Amino acid sequence: MKQGLHPENYRFVVFKDMSNGDAFLGKSTANSKETIKWEDGNEYPVIKLEISSTSHPFFTGKNMLVDTAGRIDKFKKKYAKK
């Protein structure tokens, strides 16, 4: 395997699903300016996700519409009959 191919600065971060508020702790190299106090009492950087396995219909078995950015409203406004 090639040396120096993978980043070395992995750290613990909290991934937060913005559609349902679920959060989980994992490792990442992604940068974040926001932090959150986790269940263990420590503060970790937060990476915000639009959708995760806790809200995706494939994993939940439910058909639910996730509209975090107001895409449907933007579409209706743009193409509304005048």
Side-chain angles (χ1 to χ4, degrees):
M1 188 152 118
K2 281 188 176 181
Q3 296 298 323
L5 184 65
H6 297 285
E8 308 247 345
N9 59 342
Y10 282 101
R11 66 190 191 295
F12 284 104
V13 296
V14 174
F15 293 96
K16 185 171 183 179
D17 187 335
M18 300 311 290
S19 63
N20 63 5
D22 237 11
F24 58 92
L25 187 64
K27 282 189 163 185
S28 177
T29 61
N31 294 327
S32 176
K33 294 179 182 177
E34 297 180 43
T35 60
I36 191 171
K37 192 165 190 162
W38 189 241
E39 300 162 353
D40 62 2
N42 295 326
E43 283 206 17
Y44 297 105
V46 178
I47 306 294
K48 295 181 178 179
L49 307 172
E50 286 190 31
I51 196 162
S52 71
S53 61
T54 60
S55 61
H56 194 281
F58 179 80
F59 296 104
T60 61
K62 299 176 185 173
N63 245 349
M64 58 187 252
L65 179 64
V66 178
D67 185 26
T68 57
R71 293 182 189 113
I72 294 172
D73 293 334
K74 288 179 187 176
F75 178 83
K76 286 180 180 178
K77 189 176 181 180
K78 184 176 180 179
Y79 295 104
K81 292 185 179 183
K82 296 179 181 180

